[in-house]
Amino acid sequence: MTGTVPAVRPARPFFSSGPCAKRPGWTPDVLKDACLGRSHRSKHGKAKLKEAIDRTRKVLGVPADYRIGIVAGSDTGAVEMALWSLLGPRPVDVVAWESFGEDWVTDVLKQLKLKESRIIKAPYGRLPDLNETNPNHDIVFLWNGTTSGVRVPNGDWIKNDRQGLTICDATSAAFAMDMDWPKLDVATFSWQKALGSEGAHGMLVLGPRAAARLESHEPSWPMPKLFRMTKDKKLVQGIFEGETINTPSMLAVEDYLDALKWAESIGGLPALIARADANLKTLAQWVEKREWVDFLAEDPSTRSNTSVCLKIVDPWFSALSKDAQSAAAAKIASVLEKEGVAFDIGGYRAAPPGLRIWCGATVERSDIDKLTPWLDWAFALVKAS
Ligand SMILES: Cc1ncc(COP(=O)(O)O)c(C=O)c1O
């Protein structure tokens, strides 16, 4: 018994966790004023880049004494620029509970080889004990674990009088969750996540204590030009005013500007958060009534409102081998993709087999609503086969 095919499809089947759905109403027309075929260092080009920084500050409420830079290599570039530039003088605590946190563990331990580092870990679905972090150490962590759908509930565990720096990869949290800026010395994110803009550049937000570290600490390892934020021990201020270190895509810049203007037009950060929360709530109400599916995040207070990860808890599924579980979850995702109902909702390759549904602000609640009967249908179909 596989049930009848649901009658209504989501209007926009875009539920990928990155690049994420474009904002409602987006068309390529929004790019018509892009500064194309011109130098990014022209007056016009620099003004566009500066506008991207200024609007980012406004929408996210980044404090006036924090610097915001547009850097190369999307979020990974921004995180690695921070790790390579800032780490060294203190022991490092790397907090990891899913795949991207593990990437930063690799950077700190295996690449930078920082011997005085600790890994504070939890398995998929859980958050480590954040109180294990030492305020005298530098702390590297994610605000939201994109591949497990587990986020930190807040920044209360970070001490105001810390001696170390906090370096936060916030790529799937920014524009969807309240960031506790005074607790963050560094935050990074990309453009293609919660605003559904184009992937290209990373955003590096630096608080005053991180800026002071940059001017007082010289890394013992070689620094590529792409990472260099200081000259003669002074911060290169231009980087934080739109003078990017290397050439950006002005087409991507224009698209990011459109996304920021849309965010402002709907009411800024509170409206973005409310939309993501409403999407999560819609999905949660459905999960509650289903026996076959549950959140991967065990504690509701750690449940992401962007990258919502679901595990399949039906006894039939649990009895399968790990490979067969992966194949079954992938089949559910591919059946839905074929139907044009949901694109890219397979769980992350390194995560426990399941589904991942992006619930950020660019997704319409009505589409989450329309998706849920299809999830039931696809599950029943795959189980029966
Ligand atoms: C938490 C987190 N960190 C880093 C990345 C890598 O981002 P990018 O591809 O923008 O470098 C992602 C991408 O999904 C992510 O979710």
Side-chain angles (χ1 to χ4, degrees), residues 17-41:
S17 289
C20 303
K22 303 302 270 181
R23 61 136 172 119
W26 183 93
T27 73
D29 255 11
V30 306
L31 303 172
K32 65 182 187 319
D33 290 332
C35 178
L36 302 182
R38 295 212 44 194
S39 168
H40 60 294
R41 304 205 190 276

Short mmCIF file of all heavy atoms in Angstrom, two decimals, residues 17-41:
data_model
loop_
_atom_site.label_atom_id
_atom_site.label_comp_id
_atom_site.label_asym_id
_atom_site.label_seq_id
_atom_site.Cartn_x
_atom_site.Cartn_y
_atom_site.Cartn_z
N SER A 17 20.39 22.57 0.67
CA SER A 17 21.06 23.28 1.77
C SER A 17 22.30 24.04 1.30
O SER A 17 23.19 24.34 2.08
CB SER A 17 21.42 22.29 2.87
OG SER A 17 20.25 21.87 3.52
N GLY A 18 22.36 24.36 0.05
CA GLY A 18 23.40 25.23 -0.44
C GLY A 18 23.98 24.77 -1.76
O GLY A 18 24.39 23.62 -1.83
N PRO A 19 23.96 25.65 -2.80
CA PRO A 19 23.23 26.89 -2.82
C PRO A 19 21.74 26.68 -2.52
O PRO A 19 21.16 25.70 -2.94
CB PRO A 19 23.43 27.39 -4.25
CG PRO A 19 24.72 26.78 -4.68
CD PRO A 19 24.79 25.46 -3.99
N CYS A 20 21.17 27.63 -1.80
CA CYS A 20 19.78 27.53 -1.37
C CYS A 20 18.86 28.26 -2.34
O CYS A 20 19.33 28.99 -3.21
CB CYS A 20 19.64 28.10 0.04
SG CYS A 20 20.74 27.28 1.20
N ALA A 21 17.56 28.06 -2.12
CA ALA A 21 16.54 28.68 -2.98
C ALA A 21 16.78 30.19 -3.14
O ALA A 21 17.13 30.86 -2.17
CB ALA A 21 15.16 28.45 -2.38
N LYS A 22 16.59 30.68 -4.35
CA LYS A 22 16.62 32.14 -4.54
C LYS A 22 15.43 32.73 -3.79
O LYS A 22 14.46 32.05 -3.50
CB LYS A 22 16.50 32.50 -6.03
CG LYS A 22 17.56 31.89 -6.94
CD LYS A 22 18.96 32.25 -6.56
CE LYS A 22 19.50 33.51 -7.20
NZ LYS A 22 20.91 33.75 -6.77
N ARG A 23 15.52 34.03 -3.55
CA ARG A 23 14.42 34.66 -2.81
C ARG A 23 13.13 34.63 -3.67
O ARG A 23 13.20 34.61 -4.90
CB ARG A 23 14.80 36.10 -2.49
CG ARG A 23 15.06 36.95 -3.75
CD ARG A 23 14.42 38.30 -3.60
NE ARG A 23 14.78 39.21 -4.64
CZ ARG A 23 13.89 39.75 -5.48
NH1 ARG A 23 12.61 39.40 -5.44
NH2 ARG A 23 14.28 40.64 -6.36
N PRO A 24 11.97 34.65 -3.01
CA PRO A 24 10.73 34.66 -3.78
C PRO A 24 10.74 35.86 -4.74
O PRO A 24 11.13 36.96 -4.35
CB PRO A 24 9.64 34.83 -2.71
CG PRO A 24 10.27 34.33 -1.44
CD PRO A 24 11.74 34.64 -1.55
N GLY A 25 10.33 35.63 -5.95
CA GLY A 25 10.23 36.73 -6.93
C GLY A 25 11.52 37.00 -7.69
O GLY A 25 11.56 37.86 -8.56
N TRP A 26 12.59 36.26 -7.40
CA TRP A 26 13.87 36.50 -8.07
C TRP A 26 13.76 36.17 -9.56
O TRP A 26 13.15 35.16 -9.93
CB TRP A 26 14.96 35.62 -7.44
CG TRP A 26 16.33 35.86 -8.02
CD1 TRP A 26 17.27 36.72 -7.56
CD2 TRP A 26 16.91 35.23 -9.18
NE1 TRP A 26 18.40 36.67 -8.35
CE2 TRP A 26 18.20 35.76 -9.36
CE3 TRP A 26 16.46 34.28 -10.10
CZ2 TRP A 26 19.06 35.37 -10.39
CZ3 TRP A 26 17.31 33.88 -11.13
CH2 TRP A 26 18.59 34.43 -11.26
N THR A 27 14.33 37.06 -10.39
CA THR A 27 14.52 36.73 -11.81
C THR A 27 15.91 37.26 -12.19
O THR A 27 16.46 38.13 -11.50
CB THR A 27 13.48 37.42 -12.73
OG1 THR A 27 13.81 38.81 -12.81
CG2 THR A 27 12.05 37.24 -12.26
N PRO A 28 16.48 36.78 -13.31
CA PRO A 28 17.81 37.27 -13.70
C PRO A 28 17.82 38.79 -13.94
O PRO A 28 18.88 39.42 -13.95
CB PRO A 28 18.10 36.50 -15.00
CG PRO A 28 17.25 35.28 -14.93
CD PRO A 28 16.00 35.70 -14.19
N ASP A 29 16.66 39.37 -14.09
CA ASP A 29 16.54 40.83 -14.29
C ASP A 29 17.17 41.65 -13.17
O ASP A 29 17.57 42.79 -13.38
CB ASP A 29 15.04 41.19 -14.32
CG ASP A 29 14.60 41.48 -15.73
OD1 ASP A 29 15.41 41.18 -16.63
OD2 ASP A 29 13.48 41.99 -15.89
N VAL A 30 17.23 41.06 -11.98
CA VAL A 30 17.76 41.81 -10.83
C VAL A 30 19.25 42.13 -11.02
O VAL A 30 19.82 42.94 -10.28
CB VAL A 30 17.56 41.08 -9.47
CG1 VAL A 30 16.11 40.71 -9.25
CG2 VAL A 30 18.44 39.84 -9.35
N LEU A 31 19.86 41.49 -12.02
CA LEU A 31 21.30 41.67 -12.23
C LEU A 31 21.61 42.78 -13.23
O LEU A 31 22.77 43.04 -13.55
CB LEU A 31 21.92 40.35 -12.71
CG LEU A 31 21.70 39.16 -11.78
CD1 LEU A 31 22.16 37.87 -12.43
CD2 LEU A 31 22.43 39.38 -10.46
N LYS A 32 20.58 43.45 -13.72
CA LYS A 32 20.81 44.35 -14.86
C LYS A 32 21.70 45.55 -14.53
O LYS A 32 22.31 46.12 -15.43
CB LYS A 32 19.49 44.78 -15.50
CG LYS A 32 18.59 45.62 -14.64
CD LYS A 32 17.30 45.92 -15.40
CE LYS A 32 16.40 46.90 -14.70
NZ LYS A 32 16.27 46.74 -13.26
N ASP A 33 21.78 45.93 -13.27
CA ASP A 33 22.64 47.08 -12.92
C ASP A 33 24.03 46.67 -12.45
O ASP A 33 24.77 47.47 -11.87
CB ASP A 33 21.98 47.91 -11.79
CG ASP A 33 20.75 48.63 -12.30
OD1 ASP A 33 20.70 48.93 -13.51
OD2 ASP A 33 19.83 48.87 -11.49
N ALA A 34 24.39 45.41 -12.70
CA ALA A 34 25.71 44.93 -12.23
C ALA A 34 26.83 45.75 -12.88
O ALA A 34 26.69 46.22 -14.01
CB ALA A 34 25.87 43.46 -12.58
N CYS A 35 27.90 45.90 -12.13
CA CYS A 35 29.06 46.66 -12.62
C CYS A 35 29.94 45.70 -13.45
O CYS A 35 30.91 45.15 -12.93
CB CYS A 35 29.82 47.22 -11.42
SG CYS A 35 31.30 48.14 -11.86
N LEU A 36 29.54 45.48 -14.69
CA LEU A 36 30.22 44.46 -15.50
C LEU A 36 31.16 45.10 -16.52
O LEU A 36 30.92 46.22 -16.98
CB LEU A 36 29.19 43.59 -16.23
CG LEU A 36 28.18 42.87 -15.32
CD1 LEU A 36 27.23 42.00 -16.14
CD2 LEU A 36 28.89 42.03 -14.27
N GLY A 37 32.22 44.37 -16.85
CA GLY A 37 33.17 44.85 -17.86
C GLY A 37 33.98 46.03 -17.40
O GLY A 37 34.56 46.78 -18.21
N ARG A 38 34.00 46.25 -16.09
CA ARG A 38 34.73 47.38 -15.53
C ARG A 38 35.59 46.90 -14.37
O ARG A 38 35.35 45.83 -13.82
CB ARG A 38 33.74 48.42 -14.99
CG ARG A 38 32.89 49.04 -16.06
CD ARG A 38 32.54 50.47 -15.72
NE ARG A 38 33.65 51.23 -15.18
CZ ARG A 38 33.51 52.41 -14.56
NH1 ARG A 38 32.30 52.92 -14.40
NH2 ARG A 38 34.55 53.06 -14.10
N SER A 39 36.54 47.69 -13.99
CA SER A 39 37.40 47.32 -12.87
C SER A 39 36.59 47.33 -11.57
O SER A 39 35.79 48.25 -11.34
CB SER A 39 38.55 48.30 -12.74
OG SER A 39 39.20 48.10 -11.49
N HIS A 40 36.85 46.32 -10.75
CA HIS A 40 36.21 46.32 -9.43
C HIS A 40 36.82 47.40 -8.55
O HIS A 40 36.31 47.68 -7.47
CB HIS A 40 36.34 44.93 -8.76
CG HIS A 40 37.75 44.49 -8.54
ND1 HIS A 40 38.60 44.21 -9.58
CD2 HIS A 40 38.46 44.29 -7.42
CE1 HIS A 40 39.78 43.85 -9.10
NE2 HIS A 40 39.73 43.90 -7.78
N ARG A 41 37.91 47.97 -9.01
CA ARG A 41 38.51 49.08 -8.24
C ARG A 41 38.09 50.44 -8.80
O ARG A 41 38.55 51.48 -8.35
CB ARG A 41 40.04 48.95 -8.23
CG ARG A 41 40.51 47.60 -7.70
CD ARG A 41 41.89 47.61 -7.12
NE ARG A 41 42.36 46.24 -6.83
CZ ARG A 41 42.08 45.55 -5.74
NH1 ARG A 41 41.34 46.08 -4.78
NH2 ARG A 41 42.54 44.33 -5.57
#
